[in-house]
Amino acid sequence: MEDTVSLHPSFCVWADGSPMHFFAVFDGHGGPHVAALCREQMHAILATELAAAAQGHGGDEEGSWRAALARSFARVDALAPEGAIVGSTAVVALLVRDRLVVANCGDSRAVLCRGTHAVPLSEDQKPDRPDERARIEAMGGRVMFINGARVRGILAMSRALGHKLLKPEVICEPEITITTRSDDDECLILASDGLWDVISNKVACDVARQCLEDGSPTRARTAESGEAGPSSSGAPVAQQPEPRCYRAAALLARLALGRESSDNISVVVIDLKARG
């Protein structure tokens, strides 16, 4: 398992006193090292960059958010191992006031469930995406088709953190979208490609929305395993009510497994209506 997730509500405060909330999924490739680095460092580095940006944003707060995210991705990328083909995708979502800020590097994905519609807030960065292929070839690189499009026949995405041996073709610059929230917004789904390979944006939103709207009592779960059950000594373990977001994410992961996804699957569901 090379995926990691990072959840940090109220991880920093913006210039006007508004709390900012951080959620992310990182999908490691070639080993778990860079994904683990992202989990441990990305939110902390971004908090320092946002704090600096808040001091002199000059009224252009969206430009400041974009710049802070770009600098944070570059700083984490610089910490990745030298001379290695090991790296990670990164899809990061910031919630601040009525805005959803999404930064994406790789082929993990963010999808907004707005009413009955699925609104992608990121676009997968694949080597055969026309603009990405043109950029790679302009850098002197090649896109080869070996079990799908791959940079130099190795990496099945055109942007990622790490992968030092595949630079300059593979870059760490995120694509960033900023979306104003609507009263129709139900939830935001962040997931690695193990989910999206077998489940469409629309189906994922339908499943998540149904879980969040369901008012029936939830099952108990263990904090560590996600399932109710005995401890290693055979005694019952302490159980907690299962949050609806947890239930939605777990159901999506099980659905992807049922559809025989062949990749790691990590899912985060963020309830934008703050239900229990």
Side-chain angles (χ1 to χ4, degrees):
M1 178 63 175
E2 297 173 341
D3 290 4
T4 64
V5 301
S6 183
L7 313 176
H8 295 277
S10 301
F11 83 115
C12 71
V13 176
W14 183 239
D16 62 357
S18 299
M20 302 187 80
H21 312 288
F22 177 101
F23 306 93
V25 169
F26 306 109
D27 182 359
H29 298 94
H33 315 295
V34 177
L37 172 68
C38 290
R39 179 190 60 211
E40 300 302 323
Q41 296 288 332
M42 180 68 82
H43 68 285
I45 289 173
L46 181 56
T48 64
E49 291 291 347
L50 287 167
Q55 298 299 316
H57 63 84
D60 181 15
E61 60 181 12
E62 291 193 359
S64 296
W65 298 340
R66 291 177 183 274
L69 280 161
R71 289 193 299 268
S72 298
F73 275 54
R75 285 179 60 183
V76 173
D77 181 70
L79 296 174
E82 295 289 343
I85 303 179
V86 56
S88 178
T89 72
V91 59
V92 172
L94 300 179
L95 278 64
V96 52
R97 298 194 311 271
D98 63 340
R99 251 77 63 87
L100 297 173
V101 185
V102 171
N104 180 57
C105 189
D107 58 3
S108 294
R109 191 182 304 167
V111 178
L112 173 65
C113 304
R114 174 165 284 175
T116 59
H117 301 284
V119 182
L121 299 188
S122 66
E123 183 177 358
D124 299 352
Q125 294 152 351
K126 295 287 193 179
D128 57 350
R129 207 177 86 179
D131 58 336
E132 289 293 278
R133 182 169 186 172
R135 178 185 58 76
I136 291 166
E137 292 176 346
M139 299 299 297
R142 294 181 61 194
V143 175
M144 303 172 67
F145 288 81
I146 303 173
N147 191 25
R150 296 176 181 270
V151 178
R152 299 191 209 172
I154 297 172
L155 189 64
M157 68 203 67
S158 54
R159 302 192 190 196
L161 302 176
H163 293 296
K164 297 292 181 70
L165 289 181
L166 294 178
K167 296 184 182 302
E169 299 99 308
V170 175
I171 61 175
C172 66
E173 180 182 347
E175 293 181 319
I176 300 170
T177 63
I178 300 178
T179 305
T180 300
R181 291 171 58 177
S182 160
D183 290 340
D184 293 330
D185 293 348
E186 297 283 345
C187 63
L188 179 65
I189 302 172
L190 308 177
S192 56
D193 62 335
L195 178 79
W196 306 115
D197 285 346
V198 295
I199 296 177
S200 70
N201 293 355
K202 180 66 164 61
V203 168
C205 283
D206 289 345
V207 170
R209 185 176 59 254
Q210 183 174 348
C211 285
L212 294 173
E213 290 176 349
D214 182 6
S216 61
T218 57
R219 292 187 302 108
R221 68 176 179 89
T222 64
E224 182 174 348
S225 70
E227 296 292 340
S231 67
S232 57
S233 65
V237 297
Q239 297 180 340
Q240 306 171 359
E242 184 183 78
R244 297 184 190 189
C245 283
Y246 178 92
R247 180 174 55 178
L251 181 56
L252 286 170
R254 289 197 295 269
L255 181 59
L257 286 171
R259 294 189 177 187
E260 300 184 346
S261 174
S262 60
D263 206 344
N264 295 157
I265 304 163
S266 291
V267 185
V268 173
V269 177
I270 303 144
D271 184 2
L272 298 176
K273 292 187 179 297
R275 289 160 286 203

